[in-house]
Amino acid sequence: MAPLVCLLLFLAMTGHSSATYCLCNDGVADQALQTTLDYACGNGADCSAIQQNGACYNPNTVKDHCNYAVNSYFQNKGQVTGSCDFAGTASVSANPPTNIPSTCTYPSSSTGTTPTTTPTTAGTPTSLGGGTGTAFSPTGTTTGINEPNHAVALFTSINNILFTFFITLWIVMQGCL
């Protein structure tokens, strides 16, 4: 009976979602968001869903379209470290945006594209929605473990595993005594 209880407790404690999204940051000017949107759509994001009459076209704001584009880019790059920064206009999130319509799906894992390293130079991005846009790299000025969102996710993940391990060990030891 004790092993069954331990197993159920272990599964309950580790049964959290590991979904990861890339979203545009709040408080960023629309012009910077448009530049980010243009870059993502011109360099690997599938932006067909945010075109007029697309499943994710509404709400029709630069911020909402930016969210979709950077998340698509991030997932298509295999969630490679640094592929969700875009010069500080975007960051990794454990949750999708809250205002998406039911017709729109935000992927939280790679769509099957082979992960590649994030480019450090870019061509001229295409413009979506009339923005002018300039070319820039999604890595911005921070990459790797120096990115605070990556460090927090790693820390939280390790803490969850260790906590679960020690609680399970304690329960097993209590059952053996």
Side-chain angles (χ1 to χ4, degrees):
M1 177 77 168
L4 180 61
V5 171
C6 292
L7 178 63
L8 288 174
L9 181 62
F10 177 77
L11 292 174
M13 294 174 81
T14 59
H16 64 281
S17 172
S18 62
T20 305
Y21 303 90
C22 179
L23 302 176
C24 292
N25 295 326
D26 291 331
V28 177
D30 279 355
Q31 184 177 3
L33 294 177
Q34 184 66 52
T35 300
T36 299
L37 168 64
D38 292 342
Y39 179 87
C41 289
N43 289 282
D46 177 4
C47 294
S48 59
I50 55 176
Q51 297 292 332
Q52 193 167 10
N53 298 322
C56 302
Y57 179 73
N58 288 314
N60 181 17
T61 67
V62 174
K63 173 88 186 297
D64 290 304
H65 287 189
C66 183
N67 282 337
Y68 188 87
V70 298
N71 187 62
S72 175
Y73 180 93
F74 180 63
Q75 303 306 335
N76 286 341
K77 296 298 179 184
Q79 299 181 359
V80 173
T81 301
S83 63
C84 179
D85 184 64
F86 298 91
T89 60
S91 58
V92 175
S93 173
N95 302 307
T98 56
N99 62 337
I100 57 176
S102 60
T103 58
C104 181
T105 303
Y106 269 68
S108 62
S109 62
S110 177
T111 56
T113 305
T114 304
T116 59
T117 57
T118 304
T120 54
T121 59
T124 304
T126 59
S127 179
L128 180 70
T132 55
T134 59
F136 70 102
S137 170
T139 57
T141 58
T142 62
T143 59
I145 198 68
N146 294 329
E147 176 66 37
N149 293 323
H150 295 279
V152 170
L154 178 66
F155 180 74
T156 303
S157 190
I158 290 171
N159 277 347
N160 285 343
I161 292 168
L162 289 175
F163 178 75
T164 302
F165 173 76
F166 285 115
I167 291 296
T168 304
L169 183 64
W170 180 77
I171 291 172
V172 168
M173 295 303 291
Q174 293 298 318
C176 294
L177 296 177

